[in-house]
Amino acid sequence: MGTLRSPGAPQRPPARPASRRTTALARQPWIVLGGTDQDGRVWATQLTGGAGFLRVPDPRTVVAGALPPPGDPLAGVLTAGPAVPIGMIAIEPATRRRMRVNGRARREGTGLRVDVDQVIANCPKYLQKRSHRWAGPDEDGAADRTVTAGTGLSPAQQRKVRAADTFFVATASDRGDADASHRGGNPGFVQVLSPTLLRWPDYAGNAMFLTLGNLLLNASAGILVPDWETGDALHLSGTARTVWDAEGIVATPGAQRLVEFSVEAVREITAASPLRWTSPGHSRFNPPAG
């Protein structure tokens, strides 16, 4: 499997997890995944677990002690069958640290084993600071897991997207290599233009352009919008493109370019995560929004 291509940025050799990265990964209670389902749709999802559920037994392997549950959009490909390309991003909101790990995943017992191709440490820009706790078994909504599917955003889902200060985007190269990345800003930075069309600004970042490079080669993409208070998850799958609209860019503070996402499939899962997070401390790098 080759390195993901990114126009406008130099190619970088695959990195190996160093000891400090191994330690940082091992203390995370969750990780976001990006991949492609059996029907060729790209989705972003998440795994959660107690301390140590993520392990790095050697420099080329990451083991996650959890699997996507039934109803998760990537459960089918990650719980059975051969190894598949996977993109992962581990974020520690309390410290604003993040790390991307891309490779190939296969089921191993009650978890996933990932053969690592890339490890990329990203800057802390646009990450909102939060601390987490575990929901109690009798907490409202903690056990009421439901799955709702559709092809467009309901009014309530549109409100969730407009209020979001964070989402995760999954993409794949033309060869199928997967990647998962983070997008953050002040609430309102994601515009809902219609039930099937979103737009957000692409702010200055690491200048690696892995997400935009993949979209240039393969427009398929997936989005995960987590509800930090309830543990609900809003999954979207569709296509995305970079928009070079000079007037729109000038009118959007901080935008280097714009990205439009066309929604083709929606999967909303209540009580998807047992984690509950504090109110955010918004990044000082967030441009004004709304």
Side-chain angles (χ1 to χ4, degrees):
M1 175 173 164
T3 302
L4 300 182
R5 287 176 273 177
S6 53
Q11 292 300 312
R12 306 187 181 198
R16 297 189 177 196
S19 58
R20 64 183 179 84
R21 292 177 182 170
T22 300
T23 301
L25 197 60
R27 67 171 176 258
Q28 303 312 313
W30 73 313
I31 194 165
V32 172
L33 312 179
T36 303
D37 71 9
Q38 305 97 313
D39 299 320
R41 291 194 181 279
V42 173
W43 298 90
T45 191
Q46 61 188 331
L47 294 177
T48 61
F53 102 100
L54 294 173
R55 296 186 294 107
V56 184
D58 63 67
R60 288 290 186 180
T61 307
V62 174
V63 175
L67 292 169
D72 185 283
L74 291 180
V77 294
L78 292 178
T79 58
V84 295
I86 198 76
M88 306 189 294
I89 181 166
I91 285 188
E92 189 172 62
T95 62
R96 294 193 170 104
R97 293 174 179 164
R98 58 177 163 169
M99 178 171 62
R100 286 153 82 172
V101 181
N102 298 336
R104 299 183 72 83
R106 66 182 185 277
R107 180 172 183 170
E108 189 172 82
T110 58
L112 293 176
R113 183 181 184 88
V114 179
D115 296 324
V116 175
D117 290 322
Q118 292 179 311
V119 179
I120 305 163
N122 289 153
C123 75
K125 277 186 174 181
Y126 321 120
L127 278 170
Q128 324 317 332
K129 194 169 187 178
R130 289 178 164 94
S131 298
H132 74 275
R133 65 176 178 84
W134 293 90
D138 299 324
E139 191 165 334
D140 287 346
D144 299 330
R145 189 173 186 276
T146 61
V147 180
T148 305
T151 57
L153 294 168
S154 69
Q157 291 167 343
Q158 292 178 49
R159 289 192 293 271
K160 286 186 178 183
V161 173
R162 290 191 181 99
D165 59 35
T166 299
F167 70 90
F168 299 89
V169 56
T171 57
S173 74
D174 56 339
R175 298 187 300 267
D177 301 339
D179 182 66
S181 188
H182 157 275
R183 293 293 182 270
N186 285 334
F189 85 108
V190 183
Q191 295 177 274
V192 180
L193 304 181
S194 79
T196 57
L197 186 61
L198 309 180
R199 176 185 282 185
W200 64 83
D202 194 63
Y203 299 138
N206 297 284
M208 296 187 70
F209 301 111
L210 287 177
T211 298
L212 298 186
N214 282 345
L215 292 176
L216 183 64
L217 301 168
N218 176 6
S220 298
I223 287 176
L224 168 65
V225 183
D227 189 316
W228 304 96
E229 295 182 3
T230 67
D232 297 352
L234 180 61
H235 306 265
L236 310 177
S237 185
T239 60
R241 67 185 184 99
T242 304
V243 178
W244 300 100
D245 174 1
E247 290 185 7
I249 293 170
V250 169
T252 307
Q256 304 288 299
R257 57 202 68 79
L258 303 171
V259 179
E260 286 189 352
F261 180 87
S262 297
V263 178
E264 297 176 356
V266 178
R267 188 84 55 92
E268 185 169 21
I269 304 177
T270 61
S273 169
L275 297 174
R276 302 293 181 267
W277 300 82
T278 59
S279 297
H282 288 116
S283 171
R284 63 185 177 88
F285 295 102
N286 290 349

